[in-house]
Amino acid sequence: MGLLDQEFTEGNIVIAKTEDLFNWARLSSLWQVGFGLACCAIEMMATSASHYDFDRFGVIPRPSPRQSDVIIISGTVTFKMAIRIKRLYEQMPDPKYVISMGSCSNCGGPYWEHGYHVLKGVDRVIPVDVYVPGCPPRPEALLEGLLKLQEKIRNESIVKPIRSGFVGKTA
Amino acid sequence: MTQYSIQNTKDSKLKTEEMVLNMGPQHPSTHGVLRLELVLDGEIIKDVIPHIGYLHRCFEKHCEAMTYPQVIPYTDRMDYLASMYNEFGYAVAMERLLKIEVPERVDYIRVIMGELQRIASHLVAIGTYGADIGAFTPFLFCFRDRERILHLFEITCGARLLYNYIWIGGLSHDLHPDFIRLTKEFIKDFRPNVKELNELLSYNRIFIERTANVGVLPLETAINYGVSGPNLRGSGMKWDLRKDDPYSIYHKFDYDIPVGKGEKGKVGDCWDRYYVRVLEMEESLKIIEQAIEQIPEGDVTSAIPKRIKPPEGQIYTRVENPRGELGYFIISDGSLNPARVKVRAPSFVTMQVFGELCKGWMVADVVAILGSVDIVLGEIDR
Amino acid sequence: MKTAEEIFNQLKEKFGSSIIELRTDKPVESFIVINPLEIDKICSFLHDENDLLFDSLMNLSGVDDANGTKEKDEKGLETIKGGTLSVYYHIESTKLKHKLTLKTSTPREKPEVVSVTEVWKGADWHEREAYDMYGIVFLNHPDLRRILMPYDWEFGYPLRKDYKNPEFYQGMKVPY
């Protein structure tokens, strides 16, 4: 932090657009709902634990949806659970983001054909911002997904809506 | 910690009403998507009604649609903390049905993988148990060591969590040339870490206060409910399928079966169940060490049948999974697909006894008891 | 330590016609076929008798035998009429270290088996699961509800061989 200390000790002023400031603040401390579903949840836990350290991107699990910004759907969504996930999503305050982690929540994964109790893709109940492929995705893949989400937030505007859902393409 | 008998509170002159508290499916301490309906008298638990099925992924239906080898990736996804052992159990069951003898090297590698998996699984159980009760540091320490094991699996088969490595009659690949060296290094580094874990968590005063004497599971109840694995051994019974219903080559190794002794409280309390897991990790290290010394050379894919079409019949085979008795009941109708695969999941059975364990304890103890029985929802719901 | 044959003879002597037969013709495992409406008495005998002591239920599984007549409707979907559903019990004695497999069959149209929860409490959820997946009704069961599927699932029993998935459940599309 030595560099920044010197920058700010002499009462310097930083000029930025409100939008940029908001976006920067939002993307640097995304609190996720502390919530796991299936196998991918274990990888999500591994991502938060030592070795991969999710914390360095400002992501920490919050037990309550009312205090979180992002929900990571980590695993197979069943019909019984889909109703609860929708409720959880509705309880989160705006702005809220969704990362769909793993094949199961992207499209049903290995259960797409015979899974009589599996919802084929969480995007059938809630809107998804970033899809992370893999079964299960490696922690690095989840980190990449988070960076994509940060990129998306960086380009958001408070006046005009984002032009399309695509990540990394500015309007 | 004291257990309250519900009759006493009934006699009091204050009129009380039952309250129903919902816990889960989104709750940081339910280890997944379990929903518990707690019937409370004030803070005291009168009854617990578990609701499961939030992760019901239709495993048994998939088995009927798949051929026998295709079932293996799905067995991985049942108990996702002990995938290697799920494959192991399925492979043992199928080999008994098909009457295949596997090469010796295959058996050795399976045992090494299975025991490494047992350590990895117990590390998650211990780490999250600590985190549930309020000790976050052991969680990070346990995951640090678990990453080492996952690395060993990764160099062997390319996957960290769900392997598809143990096949019917053999293995998908042989070991990586570095595997033996890295495993030896891991064992050398891990032994002191267990001691460290004991100092940090097992003999921590706060931890003992939260777990000793809490949620005692009497042996008779445990057997009547069919509880198995570390939970049964925590209640003081020396019962391990590796010795009591032998499979693979476990008879060749010298190891102990740790049981709960009521060191800090009563036999069968949460601390006993927890500590059995710590001791089991050390026993697994012993098995791995011996297996690495004795492992013979050979081919690991030679006994894999080209086309698997078992004769008409049925078999029930069980293995000692990190959570207890994992049974596969397979019915074959003589075709390429199984007619029925039923899995006897250890957590499914253990979860039934949970209501009995919680009666008379406080709400905060529910978390302590739930962590100590170590469930995996993927296996309960399948 | 007793073999299946010895136990079969012992049961046959005690219960007579409720014990139907001992099947040893299938490879790997032999099993005893018994009457579904007498199973609770037989099991409590197996549990309590001094030289049997079957104190633990390892597994209880419902099975669709699919041995009825198969009919196809105009869409090509198959339904099965008649035939049986079965329940397998795998029990063991942890003290005497012997194991036994019991089988009981019940008609598909009106599947009824007596519950063994009185004998082994661990049978509770296994029986609920068999009810959930196959619709086998366990008489005298204390709490026979669906367990894995949602409580309001009204589209039948998913593990039956002729199960058909619905198009929608609570507004969510079911097929891919």
PDB file of all heavy atoms in Angstrom, chain B residues 51-52 61 224 244-245 312 314 316 318 329 339-340 344 352 382, chain C residues 27 29 31 58 62 92 97 99 121-122 134 147 151 158 161:
ATOM      1  N   HIS B  51     -36.942 -32.480   6.560  1.00  0.00           N
ATOM      2  CA  HIS B  51     -37.536 -32.590   5.231  1.00  0.00           C
ATOM      3  C   HIS B  51     -36.396 -32.699   4.240  1.00  0.00           C
ATOM      4  O   HIS B  51     -35.553 -31.811   4.183  1.00  0.00           O
ATOM      5  CB  HIS B  51     -38.372 -31.358   4.918  1.00  0.00           C
ATOM      6  CG  HIS B  51     -39.555 -31.207   5.812  1.00  0.00           C
ATOM      7  ND1 HIS B  51     -40.763 -31.777   5.531  1.00  0.00           N
ATOM      8  CD2 HIS B  51     -39.700 -30.582   6.992  1.00  0.00           C
ATOM      9  CE1 HIS B  51     -41.613 -31.493   6.504  1.00  0.00           C
ATOM     10  NE2 HIS B  51     -40.994 -30.774   7.410  1.00  0.00           N
ATOM     11  N   ILE B  52     -36.372 -33.767   3.477  1.00  0.00           N
ATOM     12  CA  ILE B  52     -35.267 -33.954   2.537  1.00  0.00           C
ATOM     13  C   ILE B  52     -35.818 -33.977   1.121  1.00  0.00           C
ATOM     14  O   ILE B  52     -37.014 -33.803   0.910  1.00  0.00           O
ATOM     15  CB  ILE B  52     -34.471 -35.234   2.857  1.00  0.00           C
ATOM     16  CG1 ILE B  52     -35.379 -36.451   2.755  1.00  0.00           C
ATOM     17  CG2 ILE B  52     -33.843 -35.152   4.216  1.00  0.00           C
ATOM     18  CD1 ILE B  52     -34.632 -37.741   2.793  1.00  0.00           C
ATOM     19  N   LYS B  61     -33.232 -43.726 -11.336  1.00  0.00           N
ATOM     20  CA  LYS B  61     -33.840 -43.733 -12.672  1.00  0.00           C
ATOM     21  C   LYS B  61     -32.754 -43.705 -13.743  1.00  0.00           C
ATOM     22  O   LYS B  61     -32.863 -44.375 -14.771  1.00  0.00           O
ATOM     23  CB  LYS B  61     -34.749 -42.509 -12.811  1.00  0.00           C
ATOM     24  CG  LYS B  61     -35.652 -42.544 -14.026  1.00  0.00           C
ATOM     25  CD  LYS B  61     -36.876 -43.371 -13.766  1.00  0.00           C
ATOM     26  CE  LYS B  61     -37.853 -43.322 -14.919  1.00  0.00           C
ATOM     27  NZ  LYS B  61     -38.977 -44.236 -14.640  1.00  0.00           N
ATOM     28  N   ASN B 224     -30.528 -50.273  16.110  1.00  0.00           N
ATOM     29  CA  ASN B 224     -31.913 -50.433  15.673  1.00  0.00           C
ATOM     30  C   ASN B 224     -32.238 -49.525  14.491  1.00  0.00           C
ATOM     31  O   ASN B 224     -33.007 -49.883  13.615  1.00  0.00           O
ATOM     32  CB  ASN B 224     -32.847 -50.145  16.848  1.00  0.00           C
ATOM     33  CG  ASN B 224     -34.223 -50.714  16.605  1.00  0.00           C
ATOM     34  OD1 ASN B 224     -35.112 -50.018  16.167  1.00  0.00           O
ATOM     35  ND2 ASN B 224     -34.381 -51.997  16.841  1.00  0.00           N
ATOM     36  N   ASP B 244     -15.227 -56.490   9.230  1.00  0.00           N
ATOM     37  CA  ASP B 244     -16.349 -57.364   9.557  1.00  0.00           C
ATOM     38  C   ASP B 244     -17.031 -57.979   8.346  1.00  0.00           C
ATOM     39  O   ASP B 244     -17.747 -58.955   8.476  1.00  0.00           O
ATOM     40  CB  ASP B 244     -17.378 -56.592  10.380  1.00  0.00           C
ATOM     41  CG  ASP B 244     -16.875 -56.346  11.782  1.00  0.00           C
ATOM     42  OD1 ASP B 244     -16.707 -57.337  12.504  1.00  0.00           O
ATOM     43  OD2 ASP B 244     -16.619 -55.190  12.132  1.00  0.00           O
ATOM     44  N   ASP B 245     -16.856 -57.372   7.180  1.00  0.00           N
ATOM     45  CA  ASP B 245     -17.407 -57.970   5.962  1.00  0.00           C
ATOM     46  C   ASP B 245     -16.389 -57.685   4.865  1.00  0.00           C
ATOM     47  O   ASP B 245     -16.589 -56.831   4.034  1.00  0.00           O
ATOM     48  CB  ASP B 245     -18.773 -57.338   5.645  1.00  0.00           C
ATOM     49  CG  ASP B 245     -19.491 -58.093   4.555  1.00  0.00           C
ATOM     50  OD1 ASP B 245     -18.935 -59.105   4.093  1.00  0.00           O
ATOM     51  OD2 ASP B 245     -20.585 -57.675   4.161  1.00  0.00           O
ATOM     52  N   GLU B 312     -28.720 -63.076 -15.181  1.00  0.00           N
ATOM     53  CA  GLU B 312     -29.874 -62.689 -14.380  1.00  0.00           C
ATOM     54  C   GLU B 312     -29.592 -62.987 -12.905  1.00  0.00           C
ATOM     55  O   GLU B 312     -29.098 -64.058 -12.569  1.00  0.00           O
ATOM     56  CB  GLU B 312     -31.090 -63.488 -14.855  1.00  0.00           C
ATOM     57  CG  GLU B 312     -32.391 -62.762 -14.665  1.00  0.00           C
ATOM     58  CD  GLU B 312     -33.537 -63.563 -15.252  1.00  0.00           C
ATOM     59  OE1 GLU B 312     -33.460 -63.930 -16.447  1.00  0.00           O
ATOM     60  OE2 GLU B 312     -34.484 -63.816 -14.497  1.00  0.00           O
ATOM     61  N   GLN B 314     -29.304 -61.059  -8.603  1.00  0.00           N
ATOM     62  CA  GLN B 314     -29.279 -59.843  -7.804  1.00  0.00           C
ATOM     63  C   GLN B 314     -28.214 -59.952  -6.744  1.00  0.00           C
ATOM     64  O   GLN B 314     -27.857 -61.049  -6.324  1.00  0.00           O
ATOM     65  CB  GLN B 314     -30.656 -59.600  -7.182  1.00  0.00           C
ATOM     66  CG  GLN B 314     -31.378 -60.842  -6.716  1.00  0.00           C
ATOM     67  CD  GLN B 314     -31.398 -60.990  -5.223  1.00  0.00           C
ATOM     68  OE1 GLN B 314     -31.027 -60.089  -4.513  1.00  0.00           O
ATOM     69  NE2 GLN B 314     -31.799 -62.141  -4.751  1.00  0.00           N
ATOM     70  N   TYR B 316     -26.397 -57.757  -3.211  1.00  0.00           N
ATOM     71  CA  TYR B 316     -26.264 -56.612  -2.311  1.00  0.00           C
ATOM     72  C   TYR B 316     -24.844 -56.611  -1.777  1.00  0.00           C
ATOM     73  O   TYR B 316     -24.416 -57.578  -1.151  1.00  0.00           O
ATOM     74  CB  TYR B 316     -27.265 -56.702  -1.155  1.00  0.00           C
ATOM     75  CG  TYR B 316     -27.121 -55.564  -0.179  1.00  0.00           C
ATOM     76  CD1 TYR B 316     -27.602 -54.298  -0.488  1.00  0.00           C
ATOM     77  CD2 TYR B 316     -26.484 -55.733   1.034  1.00  0.00           C
ATOM     78  CE1 TYR B 316     -27.447 -53.248   0.383  1.00  0.00           C
ATOM     79  CE2 TYR B 316     -26.331 -54.680   1.919  1.00  0.00           C
ATOM     80  CZ  TYR B 316     -26.814 -53.445   1.585  1.00  0.00           C
ATOM     81  OH  TYR B 316     -26.651 -52.385   2.441  1.00  0.00           O
ATOM     82  N   ARG B 318     -21.749 -54.215   0.171  1.00  0.00           N
ATOM     83  CA  ARG B 318     -21.555 -52.993   0.942  1.00  0.00           C
ATOM     84  C   ARG B 318     -20.081 -52.765   1.214  1.00  0.00           C
ATOM     85  O   ARG B 318     -19.308 -53.718   1.336  1.00  0.00           O
ATOM     86  CB  ARG B 318     -22.325 -53.082   2.252  1.00  0.00           C
ATOM     87  CG  ARG B 318     -22.013 -54.346   2.993  1.00  0.00           C
ATOM     88  CD  ARG B 318     -23.023 -54.607   4.064  1.00  0.00           C
ATOM     89  NE  ARG B 318     -22.578 -55.713   4.872  1.00  0.00           N
ATOM     90  CZ  ARG B 318     -22.866 -55.837   6.153  1.00  0.00           C
ATOM     91  NH1 ARG B 318     -23.567 -54.928   6.763  1.00  0.00           N
ATOM     92  NH2 ARG B 318     -22.453 -56.876   6.842  1.00  0.00           N
ATOM     93  N   PHE B 329     -27.515 -52.336  -4.104  1.00  0.00           N
ATOM     94  CA  PHE B 329     -28.369 -53.475  -4.406  1.00  0.00           C
ATOM     95  C   PHE B 329     -28.658 -53.426  -5.896  1.00  0.00           C
ATOM     96  O   PHE B 329     -29.312 -52.500  -6.375  1.00  0.00           O
ATOM     97  CB  PHE B 329     -29.659 -53.390  -3.587  1.00  0.00           C
ATOM     98  CG  PHE B 329     -30.629 -54.492  -3.883  1.00  0.00           C
ATOM     99  CD1 PHE B 329     -30.214 -55.801  -3.870  1.00  0.00           C
ATOM    100  CD2 PHE B 329     -31.955 -54.214  -4.170  1.00  0.00           C
ATOM    101  CE1 PHE B 329     -31.101 -56.824  -4.145  1.00  0.00           C
ATOM    102  CE2 PHE B 329     -32.843 -55.232  -4.451  1.00  0.00           C
ATOM    103  CZ  PHE B 329     -32.419 -56.537  -4.434  1.00  0.00           C
ATOM    104  N   ALA B 339     -31.636 -53.598 -14.104  1.00  0.00           N
ATOM    105  CA  ALA B 339     -33.082 -53.477 -13.933  1.00  0.00           C
ATOM    106  C   ALA B 339     -33.394 -52.594 -12.741  1.00  0.00           C
ATOM    107  O   ALA B 339     -34.421 -51.931 -12.693  1.00  0.00           O
ATOM    108  CB  ALA B 339     -33.710 -54.850 -13.753  1.00  0.00           C
ATOM    109  N   ARG B 340     -32.500 -52.601 -11.754  1.00  0.00           N
ATOM    110  CA  ARG B 340     -32.729 -51.789 -10.567  1.00  0.00           C
ATOM    111  C   ARG B 340     -31.406 -51.620  -9.850  1.00  0.00           C
ATOM    112  O   ARG B 340     -30.661 -52.589  -9.683  1.00  0.00           O
ATOM    113  CB  ARG B 340     -33.716 -52.507  -9.635  1.00  0.00           C
ATOM    114  CG  ARG B 340     -33.865 -51.869  -8.265  1.00  0.00           C
ATOM    115  CD  ARG B 340     -34.938 -50.817  -8.279  1.00  0.00           C
ATOM    116  NE  ARG B 340     -35.300 -50.389  -6.938  1.00  0.00           N
ATOM    117  CZ  ARG B 340     -35.007 -49.193  -6.442  1.00  0.00           C
ATOM    118  NH1 ARG B 340     -34.309 -48.333  -7.140  1.00  0.00           N
ATOM    119  NH2 ARG B 340     -35.413 -48.848  -5.230  1.00  0.00           N
ATOM    120  N   ARG B 344     -27.995 -47.915  -0.674  1.00  0.00           N
ATOM    121  CA  ARG B 344     -28.224 -47.741   0.747  1.00  0.00           C
ATOM    122  C   ARG B 344     -27.201 -46.705   1.192  1.00  0.00           C
ATOM    123  O   ARG B 344     -26.024 -46.982   1.339  1.00  0.00           O
ATOM    124  CB  ARG B 344     -27.998 -49.070   1.460  1.00  0.00           C
ATOM    125  CG  ARG B 344     -28.331 -49.048   2.917  1.00  0.00           C
ATOM    126  CD  ARG B 344     -27.097 -49.050   3.765  1.00  0.00           C
ATOM    127  NE  ARG B 344     -27.434 -49.454   5.113  1.00  0.00           N
ATOM    128  CZ  ARG B 344     -27.099 -48.747   6.183  1.00  0.00           C
ATOM    129  NH1 ARG B 344     -26.426 -47.652   6.073  1.00  0.00           N
ATOM    130  NH2 ARG B 344     -27.434 -49.183   7.378  1.00  0.00           N
ATOM    131  N   GLN B 352     -32.209 -40.328  10.004  1.00  0.00           N
ATOM    132  CA  GLN B 352     -33.451 -40.699  10.688  1.00  0.00           C
ATOM    133  C   GLN B 352     -33.331 -40.588  12.185  1.00  0.00           C
ATOM    134  O   GLN B 352     -34.298 -40.297  12.881  1.00  0.00           O
ATOM    135  CB  GLN B 352     -33.800 -42.158  10.376  1.00  0.00           C
ATOM    136  CG  GLN B 352     -34.066 -42.400   8.942  1.00  0.00           C
ATOM    137  CD  GLN B 352     -34.514 -43.823   8.726  1.00  0.00           C
ATOM    138  OE1 GLN B 352     -35.463 -44.276   9.320  1.00  0.00           O
ATOM    139  NE2 GLN B 352     -33.831 -44.527   7.863  1.00  0.00           N
ATOM    140  N   ARG B 382     -29.978 -38.477  -3.241  1.00  0.00           N
ATOM    141  CA  ARG B 382     -29.554 -39.193  -4.445  1.00  0.00           C
ATOM    142  C   ARG B 382     -30.073 -38.616  -5.734  1.00  0.00           C
ATOM    143  O   ARG B 382     -31.135 -38.513  -6.083  1.00  0.00           O
ATOM    144  CB  ARG B 382     -29.899 -40.676  -4.344  1.00  0.00           C
ATOM    145  CG  ARG B 382     -28.827 -41.408  -3.575  1.00  0.00           C
ATOM    146  CD  ARG B 382     -29.360 -42.666  -2.995  1.00  0.00           C
ATOM    147  NE  ARG B 382     -30.207 -42.369  -1.894  1.00  0.00           N
ATOM    148  CZ  ARG B 382     -31.300 -43.046  -1.589  1.00  0.00           C
ATOM    149  NH1 ARG B 382     -31.670 -44.052  -2.266  1.00  0.00           N
ATOM    150  NH2 ARG B 382     -32.023 -42.686  -0.546  1.00  0.00           N
TER     151      ARG B 382
ATOM    152  N   PRO C  27     -28.106 -66.811  -9.640  1.00  0.00           N
ATOM    153  CA  PRO C  27     -26.729 -66.799  -9.140  1.00  0.00           C
ATOM    154  C   PRO C  27     -26.536 -65.763  -8.038  1.00  0.00           C
ATOM    155  O   PRO C  27     -27.355 -64.889  -7.847  1.00  0.00           O
ATOM    156  CB  PRO C  27     -25.917 -66.447 -10.384  1.00  0.00           C
ATOM    157  CG  PRO C  27     -26.867 -65.783 -11.300  1.00  0.00           C
ATOM    158  CD  PRO C  27     -28.199 -66.363 -11.026  1.00  0.00           C
ATOM    159  N   GLU C  29     -26.952 -64.655  -4.949  1.00  0.00           N
ATOM    160  CA  GLU C  29     -27.584 -64.582  -3.635  1.00  0.00           C
ATOM    161  C   GLU C  29     -28.884 -65.367  -3.633  1.00  0.00           C
ATOM    162  O   GLU C  29     -29.679 -65.266  -4.550  1.00  0.00           O
ATOM    163  CB  GLU C  29     -27.916 -63.122  -3.303  1.00  0.00           C
ATOM    164  CG  GLU C  29     -26.809 -62.385  -2.608  1.00  0.00           C
ATOM    165  CD  GLU C  29     -27.204 -60.970  -2.272  1.00  0.00           C
ATOM    166  OE1 GLU C  29     -28.280 -60.513  -2.704  1.00  0.00           O
ATOM    167  OE2 GLU C  29     -26.428 -60.308  -1.571  1.00  0.00           O
ATOM    168  N   PHE C  31     -32.609 -66.056  -1.709  1.00  0.00           N
ATOM    169  CA  PHE C  31     -33.509 -65.272  -0.872  1.00  0.00           C
ATOM    170  C   PHE C  31     -34.769 -66.063  -0.562  1.00  0.00           C
ATOM    171  O   PHE C  31     -35.121 -67.012  -1.248  1.00  0.00           O
ATOM    172  CB  PHE C  31     -33.843 -63.930  -1.533  1.00  0.00           C
ATOM    173  CG  PHE C  31     -34.368 -64.021  -2.928  1.00  0.00           C
ATOM    174  CD1 PHE C  31     -35.728 -64.197  -3.166  1.00  0.00           C
ATOM    175  CD2 PHE C  31     -33.512 -63.909  -4.002  1.00  0.00           C
ATOM    176  CE1 PHE C  31     -36.204 -64.266  -4.463  1.00  0.00           C
ATOM    177  CE2 PHE C  31     -33.986 -63.981  -5.294  1.00  0.00           C
ATOM    178  CZ  PHE C  31     -35.334 -64.165  -5.528  1.00  0.00           C
ATOM    179  N   MET C  58     -30.234 -53.692   6.940  1.00  0.00           N
ATOM    180  CA  MET C  58     -29.244 -53.024   6.110  1.00  0.00           C
ATOM    181  C   MET C  58     -29.921 -52.188   5.054  1.00  0.00           C
ATOM    182  O   MET C  58     -29.587 -51.046   4.830  1.00  0.00           O
ATOM    183  CB  MET C  58     -28.337 -54.055   5.432  1.00  0.00           C
ATOM    184  CG  MET C  58     -27.463 -54.816   6.377  1.00  0.00           C
ATOM    185  SD  MET C  58     -26.270 -55.793   5.486  1.00  0.00           S
ATOM    186  CE  MET C  58     -27.278 -57.111   4.849  1.00  0.00           C
ATOM    187  N   GLY C  62     -37.752 -51.102  -2.764  1.00  0.00           N
ATOM    188  CA  GLY C  62     -38.877 -51.410  -3.621  1.00  0.00           C
ATOM    189  C   GLY C  62     -38.362 -51.708  -5.018  1.00  0.00           C
ATOM    190  O   GLY C  62     -37.355 -51.157  -5.438  1.00  0.00           O
ATOM    191  N   GLU C  92     -29.300 -58.237   8.775  1.00  0.00           N
ATOM    192  CA  GLU C  92     -28.111 -58.905   9.280  1.00  0.00           C
ATOM    193  C   GLU C  92     -28.137 -58.905  10.799  1.00  0.00           C
ATOM    194  O   GLU C  92     -28.865 -58.124  11.422  1.00  0.00           O
ATOM    195  CB  GLU C  92     -26.845 -58.213   8.794  1.00  0.00           C
ATOM    196  CG  GLU C  92     -26.576 -56.928   9.525  1.00  0.00           C
ATOM    197  CD  GLU C  92     -25.159 -56.425   9.343  1.00  0.00           C
ATOM    198  OE1 GLU C  92     -24.247 -57.255   9.125  1.00  0.00           O
ATOM    199  OE2 GLU C  92     -24.975 -55.219   9.427  1.00  0.00           O
ATOM    200  N   LYS C  97     -23.361 -62.327  13.200  1.00  0.00           N
ATOM    201  CA  LYS C  97     -22.703 -62.131  11.903  1.00  0.00           C
ATOM    202  C   LYS C  97     -23.268 -63.022  10.804  1.00  0.00           C
ATOM    203  O   LYS C  97     -22.539 -63.708  10.100  1.00  0.00           O
ATOM    204  CB  LYS C  97     -21.196 -62.369  12.019  1.00  0.00           C
ATOM    205  CG  LYS C  97     -20.560 -61.489  13.059  1.00  0.00           C
ATOM    206  CD  LYS C  97     -19.201 -61.018  12.649  1.00  0.00           C
ATOM    207  CE  LYS C  97     -18.777 -59.916  13.591  1.00  0.00           C
ATOM    208  NZ  LYS C  97     -17.457 -59.458  13.480  1.00  0.00           N
ATOM    209  N   LYS C  99     -26.331 -62.987   7.524  1.00  0.00           N
ATOM    210  CA  LYS C  99     -27.159 -62.089   6.724  1.00  0.00           C
ATOM    211  C   LYS C  99     -28.277 -62.883   6.062  1.00  0.00           C
ATOM    212  O   LYS C  99     -28.178 -64.100   5.893  1.00  0.00           O
ATOM    213  CB  LYS C  99     -26.312 -61.427   5.632  1.00  0.00           C
ATOM    214  CG  LYS C  99     -25.271 -60.494   6.187  1.00  0.00           C
ATOM    215  CD  LYS C  99     -24.589 -59.721   5.098  1.00  0.00           C
ATOM    216  CE  LYS C  99     -23.374 -60.431   4.566  1.00  0.00           C
ATOM    217  NZ  LYS C  99     -22.611 -59.654   3.611  1.00  0.00           N
ATOM    218  N   LYS C 121     -36.508 -49.465  13.563  1.00  0.00           N
ATOM    219  CA  LYS C 121     -36.942 -48.093  13.346  1.00  0.00           C
ATOM    220  C   LYS C 121     -36.339 -47.510  12.075  1.00  0.00           C
ATOM    221  O   LYS C 121     -36.897 -46.618  11.466  1.00  0.00           O
ATOM    222  CB  LYS C 121     -36.543 -47.242  14.541  1.00  0.00           C
ATOM    223  CG  LYS C 121     -37.461 -47.468  15.716  1.00  0.00           C
ATOM    224  CD  LYS C 121     -37.120 -46.508  16.828  1.00  0.00           C
ATOM    225  CE  LYS C 121     -37.987 -46.779  18.029  1.00  0.00           C
ATOM    226  NZ  LYS C 121     -37.351 -46.320  19.263  1.00  0.00           N
ATOM    227  N   GLY C 122     -35.176 -48.033  11.714  1.00  0.00           N
ATOM    228  CA  GLY C 122     -34.519 -47.541  10.506  1.00  0.00           C
ATOM    229  C   GLY C 122     -35.298 -47.804   9.238  1.00  0.00           C
ATOM    230  O   GLY C 122     -34.980 -47.262   8.186  1.00  0.00           O
ATOM    231  N   TYR C 134     -42.567 -45.959  -5.738  1.00  0.00           N
ATOM    232  CA  TYR C 134     -43.333 -47.033  -6.375  1.00  0.00           C
ATOM    233  C   TYR C 134     -44.803 -47.041  -5.989  1.00  0.00           C
ATOM    234  O   TYR C 134     -45.580 -47.787  -6.557  1.00  0.00           O
ATOM    235  CB  TYR C 134     -42.725 -48.391  -6.000  1.00  0.00           C
ATOM    236  CG  TYR C 134     -41.378 -48.608  -6.600  1.00  0.00           C
ATOM    237  CD1 TYR C 134     -40.225 -48.349  -5.880  1.00  0.00           C
ATOM    238  CD2 TYR C 134     -41.254 -49.043  -7.904  1.00  0.00           C
ATOM    239  CE1 TYR C 134     -38.982 -48.518  -6.440  1.00  0.00           C
ATOM    240  CE2 TYR C 134     -40.018 -49.226  -8.474  1.00  0.00           C
ATOM    241  CZ  TYR C 134     -38.887 -48.959  -7.740  1.00  0.00           C
ATOM    242  OH  TYR C 134     -37.671 -49.135  -8.299  1.00  0.00           O
ATOM    243  N   ILE C 147     -41.310 -38.548   0.406  1.00  0.00           N
ATOM    244  CA  ILE C 147     -40.109 -38.113   1.127  1.00  0.00           C
ATOM    245  C   ILE C 147     -39.163 -37.340   0.229  1.00  0.00           C
ATOM    246  O   ILE C 147     -38.691 -36.270   0.607  1.00  0.00           O
ATOM    247  CB  ILE C 147     -39.438 -39.316   1.811  1.00  0.00           C
ATOM    248  CG1 ILE C 147     -38.234 -38.874   2.636  1.00  0.00           C
ATOM    249  CG2 ILE C 147     -39.014 -40.378   0.837  1.00  0.00           C
ATOM    250  CD1 ILE C 147     -37.759 -39.890   3.607  1.00  0.00           C
ATOM    251  N   TYR C 151     -44.266 -32.737  -1.719  1.00  0.00           N
ATOM    252  CA  TYR C 151     -45.465 -33.328  -1.118  1.00  0.00           C
ATOM    253  C   TYR C 151     -46.676 -33.206  -2.045  1.00  0.00           C
ATOM    254  O   TYR C 151     -47.610 -33.991  -1.958  1.00  0.00           O
ATOM    255  CB  TYR C 151     -45.772 -32.647   0.216  1.00  0.00           C
ATOM    256  CG  TYR C 151     -44.699 -32.875   1.247  1.00  0.00           C
ATOM    257  CD1 TYR C 151     -44.035 -31.809   1.841  1.00  0.00           C
ATOM    258  CD2 TYR C 151     -44.336 -34.163   1.620  1.00  0.00           C
ATOM    259  CE1 TYR C 151     -43.031 -32.022   2.773  1.00  0.00           C
ATOM    260  CE2 TYR C 151     -43.333 -34.385   2.542  1.00  0.00           C
ATOM    261  CZ  TYR C 151     -42.688 -33.311   3.121  1.00  0.00           C
ATOM    262  OH  TYR C 151     -41.697 -33.523   4.026  1.00  0.00           O
ATOM    263  N   PRO C 158     -42.372 -42.103  -9.746  1.00  0.00           N
ATOM    264  CA  PRO C 158     -41.370 -41.963 -10.808  1.00  0.00           C
ATOM    265  C   PRO C 158     -40.547 -43.198 -11.123  1.00  0.00           C
ATOM    266  O   PRO C 158     -40.084 -43.328 -12.249  1.00  0.00           O
ATOM    267  CB  PRO C 158     -40.473 -40.833 -10.306  1.00  0.00           C
ATOM    268  CG  PRO C 158     -40.860 -40.558  -8.918  1.00  0.00           C
ATOM    269  CD  PRO C 158     -42.201 -41.122  -8.675  1.00  0.00           C
ATOM    270  N   LYS C 161     -41.721 -48.470 -14.058  1.00  0.00           N
ATOM    271  CA  LYS C 161     -41.164 -48.523 -15.413  1.00  0.00           C
ATOM    272  C   LYS C 161     -42.039 -47.787 -16.421  1.00  0.00           C
ATOM    273  O   LYS C 161     -41.562 -47.393 -17.476  1.00  0.00           O
ATOM    274  CB  LYS C 161     -40.999 -49.982 -15.855  1.00  0.00           C
ATOM    275  CG  LYS C 161     -40.044 -50.769 -14.996  1.00  0.00           C
ATOM    276  CD  LYS C 161     -38.613 -50.653 -15.442  1.00  0.00           C
ATOM    277  CE  LYS C 161     -37.730 -51.532 -14.578  1.00  0.00           C
ATOM    278  NZ  LYS C 161     -36.318 -51.289 -14.737  1.00  0.00           N
TER     279      LYS C 161
END
